[in-house]
Amino acid sequence: MSIVRQEEAGGTPKPGPLPRPNCGQASRMESMTPEGRLKPVWRVVCPCGVKARQWSVASEAAVRLWNRTVQATA
């Protein structure tokens, strides 16, 4: 279920990736499906080139990891 559909269904909106304090640009989600997997893995990438080192099995988990990392470095 996409975030838009979830909001329309009355669910709470999911927080998006926080911008990095150093550059302030909006981050984006990146996904890939490695060989042998049926579902994609996700990570957050900043336009300035910084990206999460770890891939997550859910986009929500990737956002949580990114936000924790950004808040720890702020």
Side-chain angles (χ1 to χ4, degrees), residues 9-64:
T12 58
K14 302 287 186 206
L18 296 173
R20 291 185 57 240
N22 298 348
C23 68
Q25 299 179 39
S27 303
R28 64 179 174 83
M29 299 296 295
E30 182 177 84
S31 68
M32 72 167 194
T33 306
E35 187 176 334
R37 287 193 58 90
L38 300 175
K39 295 184 178 181
V41 290
W42 299 85
R43 72 176 173 183
V44 178
V45 179
C46 184
C48 68
V50 176
K51 53 189 157 197
R53 294 182 184 172
Q54 180 177 335
W55 290 88
S56 302
V57 296
S59 60
E60 293 86 2
V63 170
R64 286 192 305 267

